Amino acid sequence: MTVSPLQNVAPEETNTFPGNSQASRVPHEPEHRGVIIKTPDATPGLIVADGQQYSFVLPKVWQGTAAPARNQKVVFTLAANGDVNAVRLLGRDVLTHETLSALGQTLRSNGGTFGEKVLPLLQAQKDRMTMTGVVLSSALLLGFFVLPGWSLEAGNTILGVNLAYTVSQLLGVDASAADLTVHFGFWRLIGCLVIVLPWIAPWLTFKRAQMLNILPLVFLITLPLVVRTKLRHFAADAVKSTGQLFGGLGGDGAMQRDMQVMVEKQVSSLIHATSWNSGYWIALIAALGLAGLALKSRQGGIRH
């Protein structure tokens, strides 16, 4: 019986084409993640991973373009004898992706519970207010708290500044100090309570609770009159102070009168330099709509 020479060749040697060697069939070494707690110097560096410490050196092991640093997150592989044979930094893109994935998972896991608690409350609020009421009340909040509601272009007047406030901030302006400052005082608190009334009134049980929705309109209509009065008082104090100053410096009556006339002109310019901006007008239109809904609701109640 003739034996073929191939039968005496070991299986590993039957195919020596590139890419089919035994080394190429060795599975990829598993990667481990860790944190550098000591950088290599005269002694090896240390990586901690899964509660264990692994030492590594720079030559032929560290694969970064810059020297390693403490607290860096790294990926490393181990040789068969357990020694670290390659270390590289964990890419920022990988860290970012994993952080966002974890955040998304947290939101998904907690989102159901949050929605189960909040959505019924929102639905109940909408049912009591109607969708039109919700939209108008939201626009009222937006105009009052967020959008610019009032401005003063007073760079060329005795005040010498340009100011811009939301309607909410305007209620907290203190003109009694040397500089105009904004505080959360009594009138600002009252204004905030009036503006949120449309969200509260539907839950009140007394008969005319819905009529409280008229108050934001009344409040916003009277606000320009109050601001104008405050500006006049502020300007009058400026005129009085100027007259007292010139009197104290020995100025005669004619000089004081001329100075007061000049200041009064500046006062008029100051008042005309004010303007009501989008926040105020959006809030006013929304308040008008809410007042209309309140009156319509009352008329419907009277007919029944």
Side-chain angles (χ1 to χ4, degrees):
M1 178 177 178
T2 304
V3 179
S4 171
L6 291 177
Q7 292 178 337
N8 293 328
V9 179
E12 293 81 6
E13 298 174 358
T14 58
N15 192 342
T16 58
F17 290 104
N20 293 326
S21 65
Q22 182 181 8
S24 65
R25 295 195 299 268
V26 175
H28 193 275
E29 295 174 338
E31 293 184 335
H32 306 270
R33 291 191 182 185
V35 178
I36 297 176
I37 60 173
K38 178 186 177 298
T39 56
D41 42 34
T43 58
L46 291 176
I47 299 173
V48 62
D50 299 326
Q52 298 184 19
Q53 293 185 2
Y54 301 88
S55 61
F56 72 100
V57 294
L58 289 180
K60 298 182 179 181
V61 174
W62 177 250
Q63 298 179 354
T65 57
R70 290 185 58 185
N71 298 322
Q72 284 181 329
K73 294 183 178 181
V74 294
V75 176
F76 63 96
T77 57
L78 299 175
N81 60 359
D83 293 338
V84 175
N85 60 5
V87 182
R88 59 181 173 83
L89 279 176
L90 187 62
R92 291 185 178 181
D93 55 337
V94 177
L95 290 174
T96 302
H97 175 74
E98 292 181 349
T99 301
L100 293 176
S101 298
L103 178 60
Q105 181 62 34
T106 301
L107 292 176
R108 285 192 295 271
S109 60
N110 296 330
T113 304
F114 179 79
E116 290 173 0
K117 294 180 179 179
V118 174
L119 287 179
L121 296 177
L122 295 178
Q123 184 63 41
Q125 186 77 40
K126 182 180 75 70
D127 293 341
R128 288 175 177 264
M129 296 178 65
T130 73
M131 180 56 70
T132 304
V134 170
V135 172
L136 290 173
S137 299
S138 300
L140 181 63
L141 294 179
L142 180 69
F144 187 83
F145 289 105
V146 179
L147 299 177
W150 182 86
S151 61
L152 176 64
E153 301 293 334
N156 297 323
T157 67
I158 55 175
L159 198 57
V161 293
N162 296 325
L163 304 172
Y165 298 116
T166 65
V167 179
S168 172
Q169 291 172 331
L170 179 62
L171 293 174
V173 172
D174 181 12
S176 61
D179 297 324
L180 294 177
T181 56
V182 178
H183 302 290
F184 197 92
F186 175 76
W187 291 112
R188 191 175 183 184
L189 175 62
I190 294 298
C192 293
L193 291 176
V194 169
I195 295 303
V196 300
L197 272 178
W199 298 91
I200 301 173
W203 298 92
L204 301 179
T205 55
F206 62 90
K207 187 175 180 180
R208 298 186 178 180
Q210 286 297 111
M211 298 306 293
L212 293 174
N213 287 345
I214 297 178
L215 290 180
L217 178 63
V218 175
F219 178 81
L220 290 171
I221 288 176
T222 57
L223 182 59
L225 301 176
V226 174
V227 172
R228 189 179 182 89
T229 301
K230 284 189 174 184
L231 279 176
R232 287 193 175 277
H233 287 166
F234 176 78
D237 291 340
V239 171
K240 183 178 179 181
S241 300
T242 303
Q244 291 175 348
L245 174 63
F246 274 84
L249 294 176
D252 56 19
M255 181 181 294
Q256 293 184 35
R257 286 192 297 271
D258 291 342
M259 188 61 192
Q260 288 182 1
V261 169
M262 185 179 70
V263 173
E264 286 173 357
K265 290 181 179 180
Q266 290 290 318
V267 169
S268 179
S269 300
L270 179 65
I271 293 176
H272 286 89
T274 62
S275 61
W276 294 92
N277 300 326
S278 60
Y280 173 78
W281 296 113
I282 289 175
L284 183 64
I285 294 171
L288 183 63
L290 288 169
L293 289 179
L295 293 175
K296 182 178 179 181
S297 174
R298 176 165 174 74
Q299 290 174 357
I302 292 175
R303 284 196 297 270
H304 289 294

